[in-house]
Amino acid sequence: MGRKIPPLNALRAFEAAARTGSFKGAAAELNEAQSAVPHHISHFERYLQCPLFVRQFRSVTLTQQARASFQSL
């Protein structure tokens, strides 16, 4: 049996955070609590078994691997 599909809420959170450049911006866009987006992202990172963002004090930056994946969406 193949891999399961990725968690869709996590995929939506990844796309919004990658596009807006922040978890806060993604939460506002998705109408979710600010704490939900990092949770979704962490879930997605565990699913993919690789980091997607470099977390900084007030911003996030896509890793090189995540940047390539985001461009293919």
Side-chain angles (χ1 to χ4, degrees), residues 16-55:
R19 194 168 21 78
T20 63
S22 76
F23 291 168
K24 182 178 180 179
E29 183 176 299
L30 297 171
N31 198 28
E32 291 198 13
Q34 286 185 22
S35 62
V37 171
H39 176 77
H40 291 314
I41 297 296
S42 293
H43 187 198
F44 199 34
E45 288 173 329
R46 283 191 305 276
Y47 173 82
L48 296 173
Q49 299 178 349
C50 70
L52 297 173
F53 290 93
V54 176
R55 288 144 172 93

Side-chain angles (χ1 to χ4, degrees), residues 11-12 14-16 18 44 66-73:
L11 184 58
R12 287 178 48 230
F14 166 70
E15 189 277 332
F44 199 34
R67 192 174 300 114
S69 296
F70 178 66
Q71 291 173 348
S72 69
L73 286 178

